């Protein structure tokens, strides 16, 4: 298990990935066998079994979770329930040696949050989106432009050929609400502009203007989050950016620049480890294993499992920030 690479490969079979539910339950069995073969490890040599238990769609979570529980019971080895977001939070540790505490900016298809990571399992949310997640905003914009899913990489590509100053889009709650964020207004503005988008150039310009607006929002809000983080941890100037949207090159560039100005170290996961992957779940499992943080076999899938369970729910109409 401590041969990390091997552990990640094995865990790739055990995670409740959407692929499993789509391609039928049988697949997880085949994947397990394949991972064991590739990593040249026998089932009996596994020290623990980790699987994602939330957040996410219950049907997808249940496949991997039930399989992992059964495997752990039959092997008589500890079972570890992993929070998918903890996987993202730790993902750059697959490539870098990062010390706690750090400021985490989690930007995925379902979540957009600034959190302090004091140590493994100890998270405090500083800010969150009050409506759409950032990846969702990329995806919805792409959908309006008929670009297909996932939208992020396509918007990024079009934006590189567009005029970012052509369309002026809103930046909701830019100057209030601390480091909370909002992206729903952007989508509405783009919906209104849709009738004027006729040519390839129009599409490129809109994608570039959208991305530029996002960059401005992230620059300002990350600065705010850094301020709040430093009040708690003035000595550890480290920012970790994780989740699917962290693959965006322009976002990487502006956050690197901001961190240079703020004298912060910045870490991103490898590009292929930004979007959902089993390696990050295995790493979270491994860190928990080292601390003997095991779970019972009646641990249920939790579709809304948050990293900071004390944080207030901040979504929807009427939310006060
Ligand atoms: O972390 P992830 O794989 O899944 C969730 O846990 O949500 O993130 C997927 C999201 C999608 O919304 C996708 O459009 C976005 O990450 N994404 C990007 C890029 N690559 C993926 N967004 C912007 N730029 C990219 N290059
Ligand atoms: Zn994810």
């Amino acid at each position: 298990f401590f041969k990390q690479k091997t552990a990640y490969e094995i865990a790739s079979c055990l995670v409740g990935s959407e692929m499993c539910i789509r391609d039928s339950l049988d697949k997880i069995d085949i994947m397990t066998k394949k991972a064991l073969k590739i990593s040249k490890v026998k089932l009996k040599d596994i020290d623990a079994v980790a699987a994602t238990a939330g957040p996410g769609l219950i049907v997808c979570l249940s496949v991997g979770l039930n399989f992992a529980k059964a495997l752990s019971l039959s092997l008589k080895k500890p079972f570890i329930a992993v929070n998918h977001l903890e996987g993202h939070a730790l993902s750059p540790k697959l490539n870098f040696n990062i010390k706690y505490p750090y400021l985490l900016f989690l930007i995925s298809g379902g979540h957009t949050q600034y959190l302090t990571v004091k140590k493994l399992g100890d998270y405090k949310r500083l800010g969150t989106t009050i409506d759409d997640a950032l990846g969702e905003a990329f995806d919805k914009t792409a959908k309006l432009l008929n670009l297909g899913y996932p939208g992020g990489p396509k918007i990024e590509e079009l934006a590189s050929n567009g005029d970012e100053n052509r369309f002026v889009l809103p930046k909701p709650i830019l100057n209030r609400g601390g480091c909370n964020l909002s992206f729903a207004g952007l989508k509405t503005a783009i919906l209104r502009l849709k009738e004027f988008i006729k040519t390839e150039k129009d599409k490129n310009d809109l994608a570039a203007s959208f991305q530029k607006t996002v960059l401005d929002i992230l620059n300002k809000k990350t600065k705010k989050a850094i301020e709040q983080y430093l009040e708690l941890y003035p000595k550890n100037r480290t920012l970790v950016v994780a989740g699917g949207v962290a693959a965006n090159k322009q976002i990487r560039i502006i956050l690197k620049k901001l961190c240079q100005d703020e004298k912060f170290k910045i870490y991103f996961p490898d590009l292929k480890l930004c979007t959902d992957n089993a390696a990050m779940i295995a790493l979270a499992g491994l860190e928990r294993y080292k601390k003997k943080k095991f779970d019972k076999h009646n641990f249920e899938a939790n579709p809304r499992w948050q990293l900071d369970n004390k944080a207030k729910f901040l979504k929807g109409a009427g939310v006060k920030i």
Side-chain angles (χ1 to χ4, degrees):
F1 197 77
F2 285 105
K3 281 188 213 151
Q4 294 202 351
K5 193 164 167 287
T6 303
Y8 306 146
E9 276 161 0
I10 291 172
S12 65
C13 323
L14 309 181
V15 174
S17 76
E18 296 206 11
M19 213 168 89
C20 301
I21 193 79
R22 259 190 264 125
D23 293 355
S24 96
L25 283 159
D26 298 344
K27 267 261 158 55
I28 198 157
D29 212 29
I30 298 165
M31 284 166 71
T32 308
K33 285 184 185 135
K34 196 167 171 189
L36 289 170
K37 198 172 162 197
I38 293 169
S39 53
K40 298 189 179 69
V41 165
K42 299 243 166 3
L43 260 184
K44 66 173 176 46
D45 298 327
I46 292 175
D47 294 298
V49 184
T52 308
L57 293 174
I58 200 136
V59 281
C60 301
L61 294 167
S62 300
V63 178
L65 193 61
N66 289 332
F67 185 88
K69 285 175 184 172
L71 190 61
S72 123
L73 278 171
S74 69
L75 294 173
K76 298 192 176 56
K77 292 289 156 73
F79 164 70
I80 301 163
V82 173
N83 183 316
H84 174 79
L85 304 178
E86 182 163 86
H88 279 302
L90 305 184
S91 59
K93 282 173 169 267
L94 287 162
N95 301 101
F96 305 101
N97 181 16
I98 305 170
K99 295 210 168 65
Y100 297 115
Y102 54 81
L103 172 63
L104 169 69
F105 187 27
L106 176 64
I107 36 179
S108 71
H111 295 85
T112 300
Q113 301 184 343
Y114 293 103
L115 296 135
T116 63
V117 183
K118 191 175 177 188
K119 57 181 195 292
L120 180 71
D122 191 341
Y123 305 92
K124 180 180 157 62
R125 196 186 74 196
L126 301 178
T128 180
T129 178
I130 58 165
D131 39 57
D132 291 350
L134 184 52
E136 200 179 348
F138 269 94
D139 295 336
K140 285 179 176 171
T141 301
K143 197 168 175 208
L144 289 173
L145 297 176
N146 298 319
L147 298 175
Y149 180 87
K154 300 211 173 83
I155 295 279
E156 181 173 11
E157 197 189 321
L158 263 60
S160 65
N161 298 313
D163 172 6
E164 62 182 25
N165 297 314
R166 165 114 178 256
F167 298 103
V168 178
L169 299 168
K171 297 169 192 165
I173 66 164
L174 189 68
N175 295 310
R176 62 188 180 90
C179 61
N180 290 304
L181 309 113
S182 165
F183 299 105
L186 261 164
K187 173 192 60 194
T188 316
I190 288 168
L191 188 62
R192 286 208 195 97
L193 283 170
K194 206 181 164 196
E195 58 176 306
F196 305 106
I197 307 300
K198 303 226 159 69
T199 63
E200 287 305 303
K201 182 179 179 328
D202 293 340
K203 272 193 183 181
N204 293 347
D205 290 351
L206 188 60
S209 305
F210 167 81
Q211 190 170 266
K212 174 70 171 64
T213 309
V214 166
L215 296 179
D216 291 348
I217 296 172
L218 296 196
N219 203 32
K220 179 106 189 211
K221 292 293 181 177
T222 307
K223 217 169 169 165
K224 191 82 208 163
I226 283 178
E227 262 171 52
Q228 291 184 17
Y229 168 81
L230 285 174
E231 280 170 25
L232 298 168
Y233 304 105
K235 288 190 192 140
N236 296 281
R237 303 175 85 92
T238 304
L239 172 67
V240 164
V241 188
V245 188
N248 184 289
K249 290 184 200 66
Q250 296 309 314
I251 291 179
R252 286 180 175 236
I253 289 170
I254 61 125
L255 292 180
K256 273 185 195 160
K257 166 83 178 59
L258 175 66
C259 283
Q260 228 170 31
D261 296 346
E262 300 282 341
K263 300 190 170 41
F264 259 61
K265 276 188 256 167
I266 184 164
Y267 296 97
F268 296 93
D270 247 23
L271 276 184
K272 65 177 187 303
L273 297 171
C274 284
T275 38
D276 290 350
N277 63 84
M280 68 185 195
I281 305 303
L283 177 67
L286 181 58
E287 297 255 316
R288 290 188 164 262
Y289 178 81
K290 286 181 191 165
K291 300 234 172 286
K292 296 204 171 7
K293 286 176 181 275
F294 306 144
D295 295 292
K296 297 212 170 78
H297 288 93
N298 61 0
F299 196 106
E300 282 184 24
N302 183 349
R304 300 180 78 106
W305 194 4
Q306 291 302 306
L307 285 179
D308 175 0
N309 54 21
K310 293 201 194 90
K312 268 200 300 184
F313 186 66
L314 272 191
K315 247 185 183 178
V319 157
K320 293 214 172 32
I321 48 164

